[in-house]
Amino acid sequence: MSGGTQNSLRKALGAIKDTTTVSLAKVNSDYKELDIAIVKATNHVERPAKEKYIKAIFAAVSATRPRADVAYCIHALARRLSKTQNWAVALKTLIVIHRALREVDPTFHEELNNYGRSRSHMLNLAHFKDDSSPSAWDYSAWVRTYALFLEERMECYRVLKYDVEADRPRTKDLDTPGLLEQLPALQQLLSRVIGCQPEGAAVGNFVIQLALSMVASESINIYNAISDGTVNLVDKFFEMPHVDALRALDIYRRAGQQAERLSEFYEICKGLDIRRGETFIKIEQPPASFMQAMEEYAREAPRGSTFRKDQVKSAGPKVILAIEDKKTAEMLEARPPSPPQPEPEPEPEPKPEPVKVEAPVANYPPDLLGLNDPHPAASELDEKNAMALAIVPVGDQPTTAGSPLTNGGTGWELALVTAPSSNGSASTTSELVIE
């Protein structure tokens, strides 16, 4: 059987399936008009769907309809997408979902996200393939990349909390944590855009070119949001701590790489005559010297990360003071015990002078050299040393207020020193008397 005959047979079988599905919807469905519109908007015919069927689907998912009707429409589209093995049905179903995200109110975004969270990802077509013909292989490959783009588009909506295609970009007003969170999501979405470059037989397919034109138009707003955020990031870069500076440098470096690939993507779109009569944005590369300055700062940036309010609360001064007091207490416990000191008195009474023990002079001959005479300077020194011993105890040797000092050289010490000489002189005197 020739290739043309196989193609004709496949189209005939597809038409029979569509007719059968419509007939069943008329008999068994509570939403027969909606089911018929979905089948005819996503039929096996390899041409774009008629606008009236697409509008009927959009009316069923608008904000004015009950949420049950919206949920049923999403479920019918997901069922249609999961059961088909035909590239035309899958691609036209994805186009309906994409157009609904662009043209219907934001409530459809929320309902689609809720459906994706409660069930497996409805847009996950990683294993989809149509092997009915060699061209269908190329078409299937592009359908898979298109599904990845739509899935990433929904994920970016969850991060940004708004539709980058419908709303004005807000990245120019974000703070550093917001930029570090949203810019990677936008760059990942842009990478899915660049991945939608058709190859092989998909380049000349008219239905694929229709979907590619919507992807290319959204890439402009995505790139503008990244550019605004990158400029805002550069303004804050040289004040960032080390961790944030490294993340920002990766974002800035990836933005330059994506700019080159996006320029190539736009050249392909121009060659396919996509967005006829419109001009694509001009991509400019940052200077290499500026990139070097950012890399040097990232290596020398202060360690740490962006402070949060909860981090500030968890690092209060009371904790630091408690640690310091604990360390001080441990140091005091480790210090050897010192002798008890006398309790201070409000007005201490004058310390009594140390008692001077003098040798009895009456039993000895008269002191001709005057050694026993009190010396004024020595007496004053005795008083000072006695006071010092009373205030600051020395070592472990017990001392008393009246204990003598070895440095004084006064009073009884001189008496003890002079006593032998007195005895000697006495004996000498007695010897002289005897003689």
Side-chain angles (χ1 to χ4, degrees), residues 150-169:
L150 292 178
E151 190 174 15
E152 196 66 46
R153 192 182 192 278
M154 293 175 59
E155 180 63 27
C156 188
Y157 178 83
R158 296 188 191 102
V159 176
L160 272 61
K161 305 297 187 296
Y162 68 93
D163 188 1
V164 68
E165 173 63 19
D167 300 334
R168 180 185 63 84

Side-chain angles (χ1 to χ4, degrees), residues 223 230-231 234 237-238 249 252-257 259-260 283-296:
Y223 182 77
T230 305
V231 173
V234 170
F237 180 79
F238 294 97
L249 183 61
Y252 188 82
R253 188 182 291 113
R254 188 179 184 186
Q257 296 171 355
E260 296 180 0
I283 308 297
E284 296 182 357
Q285 294 293 332
S289 59
F290 189 73
M291 176 67 72
Q292 294 176 359
M294 294 178 69
E295 292 175 350
E296 292 178 0

